[in-house]
Amino acid sequence: MSNSSSITQFLLLAFTDTRELQLLHFWLFLGIYLAALLGNGLIITTIACDQHLHAPMYFFLLNLSLLDLGCISTIVPKSMANSLWDTRAISYIGCAAQLFSFAFLAIGGYCLLTVMSYDCYVAICKPLHYGTLLGSRACVHMAAAAWASGFLTALLHTANTFSLPVCKGNALHQFFCEIPQILKLSCSDASLRELGLIGLSVCLGFGCFVFIVVSYVQILRAVLRIPSEQGRHKAFSTCLPHLAVVSLFVSTVMIAYLKSPSISSPSLDLVVSFLYSVVPPAVNPLIYSMRNQELKVALKKLIQSFFCQQQ
């Protein structure tokens, strides 16, 4: 039996062994990655440059775009490089860094989505107290708490996962370094600590999910009591993009981690992991920009000013 000290690299699972399809995978991921860079980059630049968007909702959105950019940049470039150079290898240190970075940014993003649901709740249900409950200092503290939660959770998981002896080779059945796949390579008795950490994380994640659901139940009740149709439309336009982003992330993660082992297969695991790790960071900017009128106007001004400067 080998252990982790003798392993210098892991082998990631390729989407395909056919060279032409590998190149197709490279170009597909390149297009998605560039779309995510452009979309999130535009949102970050627009919010940073437009004084009208210096509000709590857009401050949290800016942080979410930063997390999304980091999240997709952690896994997609390596997968693209493997397809382009027809290789599966990732170094032991590179795998640990990728696992930590992805967990940090993904968990931080989920915590931030929870904070954003509170922002929507206060904006709709307690508008007179919005400035008091969500002042600049409170917003910074909540965003910092989301980032710190992701960092500490990822640090615990990464340190514990890579302290386990690896007994079953170095081939991962995933296109990036993922905790469950690495646990499959470790000794079953040694992985109990990590399973306990995963159980704790699941409890915390479920707590955030319940908080989000309760917040939106209260929001829906408040919106339905608004007498004017214009007021209801404005309220829905404020919160529907966030609800769509939460639904996309939670549903894909639930499919990835709660599906029955009997229907699990390498191909299905690849598709499901793609849905929760790559699709949300690329789609989130589109969801927010389509429904938010203020953001659309600010984006339009930013693009117009850019082209005017080029002329």
Side-chain angles (χ1 to χ4, degrees), residues 14 23 44-45 80 85 93 96 127 130 157-158 183 212 225 232 239 244 256 263 267 274 293 303:
L23 293 176
I44 292 169
T45 306
M80 289 165 50
W85 303 114
I93 297 299
Y130 189 79
H157 281 295
T158 305
L183 289 182
I212 293 172
R225 288 198 297 265
R232 288 195 298 270
C239 294
I263 63 173
S267 299
F274 169 80
Q293 190 63 34
I303 295 171

Side-chain angles (χ1 to χ4, degrees), residues 256-273:
Y257 288 96
L258 300 182
K259 68 180 184 299
S260 172
S262 61
I263 63 173
S264 180
S265 68
S267 299
L268 179 61
D269 289 344
L270 280 175
V271 171
V272 170
S273 62

Side-chain angles (χ1 to χ4, degrees), residues 233-273:
H233 176 75
K234 184 177 180 180
F236 276 125
S237 296
T238 300
C239 294
L240 278 181
H242 176 258
L243 183 60
V245 169
V246 171
S247 301
L248 176 64
F249 180 80
V250 172
S251 61
T252 52
V253 169
M254 289 179 66
I255 292 172
Y257 288 96
L258 300 182
K259 68 180 184 299
S260 172
S262 61
I263 63 173
S264 180
S265 68
S267 299
L268 179 61
D269 289 344
L270 280 175
V271 171
V272 170
S273 62

Side-chain angles (χ1 to χ4, degrees), residues 4-147:
S4 55
S5 62
S6 64
I7 290 179
T8 59
Q9 65 178 16
F10 289 98
L11 298 178
L12 300 175
L13 184 64
F15 276 92
T16 177
D17 295 325
T18 307
R19 186 57 185 157
E20 290 77 11
L21 293 179
Q22 286 177 344
L23 293 176
L24 178 62
H25 162 248
F26 168 80
W27 289 111
L28 175 63
F29 264 40
L30 178 62
I32 294 173
Y33 186 53
L34 291 177
L37 288 178
L38 178 63
N40 287 288
L42 281 174
I43 286 181
I44 292 169
T45 306
T46 303
I47 294 173
C49 296
D50 196 314
Q51 293 290 332
H52 296 94
L53 299 183
H54 290 180
M57 179 177 70
Y58 298 107
F59 171 73
F60 294 135
L61 179 56
L62 183 148
N63 278 267
L64 181 65
S65 293
L66 287 172
L67 288 164
D68 281 344
L69 266 182
C71 200
I72 197 170
S73 297
T74 297
I75 58 176
V76 168
K78 178 59 180 175
S79 181
M80 289 165 50
N82 282 1
S83 292
L84 185 62
W85 303 114
D86 192 18
T87 181
R88 297 171 53 197
I90 183 172
S91 69
Y92 185 87
I93 297 299
C95 186
Q98 187 183 70
L99 186 149
F100 169 77
S101 299
F102 180 75
F104 164 38
L105 297 164
I107 295 170
Y110 182 57
C111 293
L112 192 66
L113 288 174
T114 306
V115 171
M116 293 173 74
S117 70
Y118 176 71
D119 172 65
C120 286
Y121 165 77
V122 175
I124 301 300
C125 300
K126 298 181 182 294
L128 298 179
H129 302 284
Y130 189 79
T132 304
L133 296 175
L134 287 164
S136 57
R137 180 173 294 183
C139 290
V140 170
H141 287 169
M142 285 188 283
W147 285 81

